[in-house]
Amino acid sequence: MKTAIYPGSFDPLTNGHIDIIKRGIKLFDKIIVAILVNPAKQSLFSVDERIDILTECLKDIQGVEIDSFGGLLVDYAQQKNAHAILRGMRAVSDFEYEFQMALMNRRLNREIQTVFLMTGLRWIYTSSSIIKEAAYFGGDISGMVPPLVEKRIAEKFGNPSGNRKSNQPEGDF
Ligand code: COA
């Protein structure tokens, strides 16, 4: 059984993350999408809210499990019998941070390999923060996040009727 951990903040889940998970599950039997419990990082959604969102949005993808973790990622991976960490690589700007993290994780546990998938071109310049910022100021984020996330963000920002719609074709930039 080949298991990978796909760790992150997922505050919130975006279509870019889903793209990595859908492609990753073709390489692994099981992917554990693991939310880092990080009290130092201010988040829009609580860990429980993020677990709910991930569970609902990923329920149709066979082989995906949702969890949260604290402490060292390699320790969590070992505890879950996972031999790989899955990460999406976006623009070149991600490279140094990801490289540093992968090398540190390998130093901490040589049995666990980091596997990078190139993020889909459409999602190269997106991130949870930039999507939240656009939504906060009333921008249209449809096509960048699942509809449930769009709804939950609108509720958080007190805009339950939805945001101003963009004139771009769905998911286009
Ligand atoms: N599409 C769109 N956006 C993406 C994306 C994709 N495919 N992949 C990542 N992103 C965005 C995220 O939305 C996030 O955006 P934000 O910063 O605006 O919230 C950003 O990229 C960072 O990604 P994320 O995957 O959430 O990384 P992170 O830096 O918050 O967390 C961990 C990285 C959890 C893997 C790392 O902190 C960790 O392992 N911590 C545990 C402690 C540990 O073991 N430390 C030693 C390791 S060196």
Side-chain angles (χ1 to χ4, degrees):
M1 180 93 166
K2 291 200 203 97
T3 302
I5 308 289
Y6 182 43
S9 307
F10 304 106
D11 184 44
L13 175 74
T14 70
N15 285 346
H17 296 128
I18 296 178
D19 170 58
I20 297 290
I21 295 165
K22 282 186 171 164
R23 284 159 50 217
I25 203 64
K26 294 181 181 159
L27 303 174
F28 298 99
D29 302 304
K30 181 158 102 178
I31 292 182
I32 303 174
V33 182
I35 302 166
L36 173 69
V37 179
N38 184 359
K41 199 169 167 182
Q42 209 186 345
S43 57
L44 180 64
F45 294 96
S46 69
V47 172
D48 285 346
E49 286 172 322
R50 281 178 269 167
I51 289 180
D52 279 355
I53 290 173
L54 286 163
T55 306
E56 180 58 28
C57 295
L58 303 175
K59 67 175 190 293
D60 295 331
I61 311 175
Q62 285 283 314
V64 171
E65 224 177 84
I66 318 298
D67 198 11
S68 60
F69 76 103
L72 276 184
L73 175 60
V74 288
D75 290 348
Y76 172 73
Q78 193 167 32
Q79 179 200 325
K80 290 284 172 183
N81 272 325
H83 294 280
I85 293 166
L86 177 64
R87 294 288 291 167
M89 186 81 85
R90 290 170 300 169
V92 178
S93 48
D94 275 350
F95 183 80
E96 269 197 49
Y97 172 63
E98 292 295 338
F99 201 62
Q100 196 180 24
M101 215 161 47
L103 284 174
M104 177 55 87
N105 284 332
R106 190 150 63 116
R107 197 193 147 92
L108 294 170
N109 187 331
R110 298 192 77 80
E111 299 305 313
I112 296 169
Q113 306 302 325
T114 302
V115 173
F116 293 104
L117 285 182
M118 197 190 92
T119 298
L121 196 57
R122 279 161 71 182
W123 320 116
I124 289 252
Y125 292 107
T126 64
S127 74
S128 300
S129 303
I130 207 149
I131 289 172
K132 281 183 286 191
E133 187 173 322
Y136 180 77
F137 291 111
D140 179 11
I141 56 163
S142 58
M144 301 176 86
V145 292
L148 175 67
V149 172
E150 195 184 350
K151 183 168 168 270
R152 293 283 163 85
I153 290 182
E155 284 164 7
K156 287 269 179 200
F157 293 149
N159 178 19
S161 57
N163 300 304
R164 175 163 44 90
K165 289 294 163 201
S166 127
N167 56 4
Q168 294 287 334
E170 174 129 337
D172 204 356
F173 281 88

